[in-house]
Amino acid sequence: MIITKSWLNEWIDLSAISTDKLVKTLNSIGLEVDSVSTYKIPQKIVFGRVVECVKHPEADKLNICKVDVGTATHQIVCGASNVRAGLDVVVATVGAVMPDGMVIKPVKLRGVESEGMICSSREIGLGDVQDGIIELDSSIGKYSIGQEISTNSIFSDDIIEIELTANRGDCLSIRGIARDLSAAFDKPLRERNTKESEEKRVGIGRILTLSHENNLDVNIRYKAVDLKNLDLPFIVKLRLTQIEDKKESDVESLMLYATHSSGVILRAYSFGFFCAQNETMAKASLCRDENGFASIMSKDKKASIVGIIQEDDSKVTYNEGTVLIEATYIPPNVISKKMQEKKISAGSMYYRASRGSEPDLNQGLDYCISVIESNSDSLVFGGTIEVGEPHEDKMISVSKKEIDEIIGANIDKAKITKILKNLGFNTTKSSAESFVISVPKFRHDISNRQDIVEEIVRLVGIDNIPSKPFTFTEDNGLGDDYFRYKKRQTYRHKAAYSGFFESIHFVFDEKRVLEEFGFETIDENKELLNPIVNTLDTLRSTLLTGLLKAASNNSKNGYSSVKLFEVGSVFNSQREESLKMAMLFCGDRESDGLSNSGKPLKADFAFFTKKVSDIIGAFELSAFETKHTLSHPFQSAKILICGEVVGELFRVHPSVEDSYDLDITYMCELDFEKLPCSLKTAKQTSKYQASFRDLSIVMSKEMSYAKVKSVIDSSATKELVRFYPVDKYSDELLGDNMSLSIRFVLQSFDKTLEEDDITKSMDSVLNALKNELGLGIR
């Protein structure tokens, strides 16, 4: 947001306040100043008046001018096309040093003496304000011929650029900034509302009718002006150059100027756009268009979409004739949500509308009309045509005690009331110690008592709140927050110790990608209104897509082995947050070297499972088909700890690997809350040697290992410590069956097991398998 000190002075008296103090105050009240630039015109450059102008006898493009500079009249040869007698100009007299270093000296041009130079805006360091030389007018205030122009505040100004946060749409105007400064300096705001005399004015209803639909959440007002001899004042041209924005026509430039100054979104329409041929009555309608946006329509064409864009055909390109001036307001949450759904093309004013424009439409219209009347012979039609939606004030209750406790200091009640009043809040006291505060319509960012307290703090000034020493009281620091933090740190460190590198991403993701792979996405009614970019347009529901992108970037940078993990928040369709942990292993198991003859093995399912186990401890796998399409259909499993499902583990589908330029890749995602993080409990171990036995049983290929495991668990003797499958085999002789080899580990706490003890345990298992499942050894 670009402002100038002289422009601010139109809305609040800052004549006694230095630029340095102004900048410090802006920073202290939360309007961070990004840059300050000062321009001052060199000495010996003065206001002059062209008293005579004739063509140069030896050059068609030169003019010989007699210029009054107060102390004398000088002859100056000028090549500007817009120089003429009677024009007030800026004159660099002999001896002046121009901003580019050129020194003005008497010269002879085509045989004619010239003493000085009539200046353009660029030549005195103001940029391209207008073509040709500067044409001065009353908009710069009072001045006298011969007066140095550096003494005029318009030509000796400070340009300040403010870095606004997205929630401060109320400060996207000169008036909005002045309103905050009014509270900071305790100075009244200069309101510019005018009471127009309706006598002898033709009413706007004689030339315009407006039909409308209901419940469009739009406030809109129209004025009509019959333009005549409109001359865009110099100060408007200068300030539009300073804010680095211009329009093609004078009327469009005037709308931009009034919008930037007042904060009200203003547009000008060609009167003929709404009139049928040979008709004198313009007919406009406010209705929903095909996308559901509130739009202004003529009989058969769209003029604009409120708050978003104006069609070129409806814009004003002339300075003589009737124009319709429109002021609009639409709540930012309404337009942002609708724009997120449809994502249509937007114009330059959409940013203001989506952040929150000024809702006081009359104030903006009055400002615009006053500029037109001051710089033309135009006729303003009486009255307005308007459509408005009722507005209910947002009410917030807060006590003096609550304010003091949040701030940590005792703030005087009268001071609180004064600050809120200057900021535009209406306050009443429901009791001696409580406030009921009505939030102004232009403060869309205020929603609770903490926001109110923040307003008070920024106006009181954080440096003016006395510091207090810390008060330490003994308390148990080992609360739930500590243990959650400790658990997260523990698993992060375990992953790092296992060779994985931590990857951290935004909690946002691309909705298109999530839907493409079949992941859950946020409900449409709870989607983000103003995403950062199109590729981060929703809250993520998984960590997997972020790890894939990170792995792809690493792979493209030449890494043959990529090992990543992340612990972070994900959200379900109702924006409910949960914590997940995900891991990815891509490519080679290890670096190439002598031990592997320069040909390291690729990661496989068993290897990745072992890596995951190193981090989260012992777990079991069970056959599982994922809901998303990232996984390989035949290499995916759910992870169980103590019988509870905590996540999934799979190989990435080859087509996905190809699309991301990845080697063989394995991933897992875990519900972090379900991962164990209890104190380690010491367990007794046997001092006697363990024994191992392998059994190969013949079973149907269709039978799940889970059934076999369940039977063995139920029939195991106390000497059977653990068992696990080690191999499976099938051939033509086995037909529809296969041979599954299982390794049994047996150990006793009392003695070294003898062969009879081992045989007894194995017989118990074999009998159970035969009786319950009909299985025998191969």
Side-chain angles (χ1 to χ4, degrees):
M1 175 65 192
I2 299 176
I3 62 176
T4 70
K5 191 176 178 182
S6 68
W7 204 346
L8 278 173
N9 226 40
E10 290 187 0
W11 295 98
I12 181 174
D13 182 10
L14 299 176
S15 56
I17 296 173
S18 67
T19 300
D20 184 56
K21 184 176 180 181
L22 175 61
V23 169
K24 287 180 180 178
T25 302
L26 288 169
N27 282 323
S28 70
I29 63 176
L31 303 178
E32 184 180 349
V33 174
D34 188 56
S35 65
V36 180
S37 58
T38 301
Y39 62 82
K40 191 165 185 177
I41 308 302
Q43 294 182 343
K44 296 187 178 182
I45 299 179
V46 301
F47 294 106
R49 178 170 294 153
V50 180
V51 296
E52 182 182 312
C53 180
V54 296
K55 287 291 183 182
H56 193 295
E58 301 296 330
D60 292 338
K61 293 185 179 181
L62 296 180
N63 297 283
I64 302 172
C65 304
K66 300 294 185 182
V67 183
D68 182 4
V69 294
T71 57
T73 299
H74 295 311
Q75 177 174 281
I76 300 176
V77 177
C78 179
S81 60
N82 61 328
V83 68
R84 59 189 181 275
L87 190 66
D88 283 2
V89 293
V90 173
V91 181
T93 59
V94 173
V97 180
M98 305 303 286
D100 63 359
M102 180 179 70
V103 179
I104 302 301
K105 299 177 182 179
V107 294
K108 185 178 288 188
L109 297 174
R110 293 289 184 93
V112 177
E113 297 288 342
S114 180
E115 296 180 279
M117 181 172 70
I118 303 176
C119 302
S120 69
S121 57
R122 176 175 285 279
E123 288 167 336
I124 61 172
L126 298 183
D128 290 324
V129 175
Q130 65 183 97
D131 294 333
I133 59 172
I134 294 174
E135 299 182 29
L136 297 173
D137 54 45
S138 60
S139 66
I140 66 170
K142 294 182 179 180
Y143 61 90
S144 58
I145 300 302
Q147 174 189 348
E148 293 209 358
I149 69 171
S150 61
T151 60
N152 185 289
S153 61
I154 303 300
F155 292 94
S156 181
D157 210 352
D158 300 295
I159 302 176
I160 302 170
E161 185 168 0
I162 298 174
E163 190 73 29
L164 290 177
T165 53
N167 65 318
R168 291 307 305 273
D170 61 300
C171 286
L172 284 171
S173 66
I174 304 296
R175 181 175 183 264
I177 300 293
R179 186 163 45 208
D180 264 27
L181 291 174
S182 169
F185 291 127
D186 194 18
K187 287 177 174 286
L189 199 63
R190 291 171 171 170
E191 296 295 349
R192 302 173 65 93
N193 292 328
T194 58
K195 293 183 179 180
E196 62 179 35
S197 174
E198 300 295 332
E199 295 182 6
K200 299 181 181 179
R201 288 193 173 185
V202 178
I204 188 174
R206 297 281 188 90
I207 65 166
L208 175 65
T209 63
L210 176 66
S211 60
H212 64 90
E213 296 180 8
N214 295 324
N215 302 318
L216 293 177
D217 292 318
V218 171
N219 286 1
I220 190 165
R221 284 194 176 112
Y222 287 96
K223 294 283 289 183
V225 180
D226 189 7
L227 294 178
K228 187 176 181 181
N229 299 327
L230 177 63
D231 188 14
L232 201 62
F234 174 76
I235 196 169
V236 172
K237 298 175 184 177
L238 173 62
R239 285 175 174 170
L240 290 180
T241 301
Q242 289 169 338
I243 66 173
E244 301 173 359
D245 204 349
K246 289 184 180 180
K247 296 295 182 180
E248 294 180 0
S249 69
D250 286 351
V251 175
E252 289 291 310
S253 295
L254 198 57
M255 295 303 108
L256 173 61
Y257 176 78
T259 296
H260 193 84
S261 188
S262 68
V264 176
I265 294 179
L266 299 164
R267 286 175 174 161
Y269 294 96
S270 169
F271 183 76
F273 183 84
F274 295 98
C275 288
Q277 191 172 7
N278 300 323
E279 289 188 2
T280 58
M281 176 67 76
K283 297 178 181 179
S285 63
L286 173 62
C287 57
R288 294 189 189 277
D289 65 8
E290 65 278 6
N291 292 315
F293 291 96
S295 300
I296 304 299
M297 307 287 292
S298 69
K299 184 177 180 180
D300 55 357
K301 292 185 292 185
K302 183 183 292 184
S304 68
I305 302 175
V306 176
I308 296 180
I309 194 169
Q310 180 179 1
E311 300 297 331
D312 290 339
D313 291 348
S314 69
K315 293 181 180 178
V316 177
T317 57
Y318 49 84
N319 286 4
E320 300 278 340
T322 304
V323 300
L324 303 176
I325 299 176
E326 172 195 83
T328 57
Y329 170 80
I330 184 169
N333 60 312
V334 171
I335 193 171
S336 297
K337 183 178 180 180
K338 196 67 182 175
M339 194 65 166
Q340 177 63 22
E341 293 173 359
K342 299 299 181 180
K343 297 181 180 178
I344 63 173
S345 298
S348 58
M349 289 299 171
Y350 170 68
Y351 182 80
R352 289 178 181 273
S354 65
R355 298 304 179 194
S357 61
E358 174 60 50
D360 186 357
L361 304 185
N362 275 338
Q363 174 267 130
L365 279 173
D366 289 345
Y367 182 85
C368 180
I369 294 298
S370 69
V371 176
I372 292 175
E373 289 186 315
S374 301
N375 297 278
S376 69
D377 299 320
S378 303
L379 171 66
V380 180
F381 288 78
T384 61
I385 289 181
E386 57 190 70
V387 174
E389 294 288 341
H391 169 70
E392 292 186 6
D393 290 338
K394 188 187 300 179
M395 308 300 293
I396 297 175
S397 298
V398 61
S399 69
K400 171 73 165 54
K401 181 180 179 181
E402 287 174 322
I403 293 173
D404 290 345
E405 286 179 349
I406 295 173
I407 295 176
N410 183 21
I411 308 298
D412 185 68
K413 287 186 291 185
K415 189 169 188 177
I416 292 173
T417 303
K418 195 169 191 178
I419 286 173
L420 295 175
K421 181 180 178 181
N422 286 342
L423 286 172
F425 295 80
N426 291 324
T427 61
T428 57
K429 293 182 180 178
S430 60
S431 66
E433 294 296 324
S434 295
F435 299 92
V436 177
I437 300 165
S438 174
V439 180
K441 192 175 180 181
F442 58 81
R443 288 307 302 269
H444 318 92
D445 57 315
I446 303 296
S447 59
N448 53 49
R449 64 188 63 183
Q450 285 79 10
D451 294 331
I452 295 292
V453 174
E454 185 179 340
E455 293 298 294
I456 296 169
V457 169
R458 72 185 184 90
L459 268 301
V460 169
I462 193 69
D463 295 334
N464 297 323
I465 297 175
S467 301
K468 290 184 178 180
F470 285 115
T471 301
F472 293 97
T473 56
E474 186 175 356
D475 196 6
N476 180 12
L478 302 180
D480 291 341
D481 289 341
Y482 169 79
F483 288 112
R484 283 193 291 268
Y485 161 78
K486 188 66 177 176
K487 176 180 178 180
R488 188 165 180 165
Q489 290 297 92
T490 298
Y491 277 96
R492 289 174 64 239
H493 290 162
K494 282 184 177 180
Y497 297 154
S498 297
F500 288 82
F501 293 89
E502 185 168 18
S503 182
I504 300 175
H505 301 89
F506 287 118
V507 294
F508 308 112
D509 207 338
E510 187 173 1
K511 189 169 186 176
R512 177 189 62 80
V513 173
L514 293 174
E515 291 176 338
E516 177 185 343
F517 290 122
F519 288 102
E520 181 181 24
T521 56
I522 302 296
D523 187 277
E524 290 295 331
N525 295 325
K526 298 187 178 184
E527 267 294 6
L528 302 178
L529 292 181
N530 292 297
I532 302 172
V533 291
N534 290 336
T535 54
L536 297 173
D537 59 356
T538 189
L539 292 169
R540 65 184 179 184
S541 57
T542 179
L543 303 178
L544 298 175
T545 54
L547 285 183
L548 271 178
K549 293 172 188 175
S552 178
N553 291 334
N554 279 270
S555 180
K556 290 174 183 177
N557 284 328
Y559 291 94
S560 59
S561 179
V562 181
K563 296 160 282 188
L564 302 175
F565 81 93
E566 182 174 7
V567 180
S569 296
V570 299
F571 302 83
N572 65 12
S573 61
Q574 300 303 309
R575 292 183 72 160
E576 294 170 340
E577 183 178 359
S578 60
L579 196 63
K580 298 280 188 179
M581 181 176 187
M583 284 162 274
L584 175 147
F585 200 113
C586 171
D588 298 340
R589 295 187 185 183
E590 58 191 3
S591 300
D592 53 356
L594 290 174
S595 60
N596 53 39
S597 302
K599 296 180 180 180
L601 296 174
K602 300 295 182 183
D604 57 28
F605 197 91
F607 175 79
F608 183 62
T609 301
K610 178 64 171 62
K611 284 299 217 180
V612 175
S613 177
D614 290 342
I615 299 170
I616 70 172
F619 61 83
E620 296 178 1
L621 293 178
S622 178
F624 177 65
E625 185 175 339
T626 62
K627 295 180 180 179
H628 55 79
T629 58
L630 281 183
S631 63
H632 193 294
F634 306 117
Q635 295 192 51
S636 58
K638 56 185 176 183
I639 298 175
L640 300 95
I641 297 179
C642 298
E644 183 180 19
V645 177
V646 300
E648 60 186 25
L649 182 151
F650 57 87
R651 178 186 167 181
V652 175
H653 197 285
S655 63
V656 177
E657 292 173 344
D658 291 341
S659 65
Y660 281 88
D661 292 329
L662 295 173
D663 204 340
I664 294 174
T665 304
Y666 290 87
M667 301 185 77
C668 79
E669 187 170 45
L670 308 164
D671 186 337
F672 194 76
E673 299 297 335
K674 294 181 179 180
L675 295 181
C677 192
S678 56
L679 294 175
K680 299 295 183 184
T681 303
K683 294 182 180 180
Q684 181 183 3
T685 59
S686 174
K687 64 180 180 181
Y688 299 103
Q689 181 179 350
S691 299
F692 298 86
R693 286 292 185 273
D694 289 348
L695 292 180
S696 294
I697 60 174
V698 177
M699 58 187 286
S700 171
K701 292 180 180 178
E702 302 299 325
M703 183 179 292
S704 68
Y705 173 70
K707 290 184 177 181
V708 176
K709 180 179 180 300
S710 175
V711 171
I712 296 176
D713 281 333
S714 62
S715 62
T717 63
K718 64 178 182 179
E719 290 81 16
L720 181 56
V721 178
R722 64 181 182 276
F723 61 92
Y724 50 89
V726 293
D727 188 30
K728 68 177 181 178
Y729 172 77
S730 61
D731 58 19
E732 294 180 356
L733 295 176
L734 292 173
D736 294 333
N737 294 327
M738 68 175 182
S739 170
L740 177 66
S741 296
I742 302 175
R743 176 161 296 170
F744 295 86
V745 181
L746 301 101
Q747 192 175 29
S748 172
F749 286 96
D750 303 321
K751 63 178 182 177
T752 300
L753 292 177
E754 297 179 359
E755 190 64 32
D756 288 344
D757 300 320
I758 297 172
T759 301
K760 183 178 178 181
S761 292
M762 291 296 95
D763 286 344
S764 175
V765 170
L766 287 172
N767 290 333
L769 289 173
K770 183 176 181 180
N771 295 333
E772 296 185 32
L773 299 178
L775 304 181
I777 62 174
R778 184 180 170 195

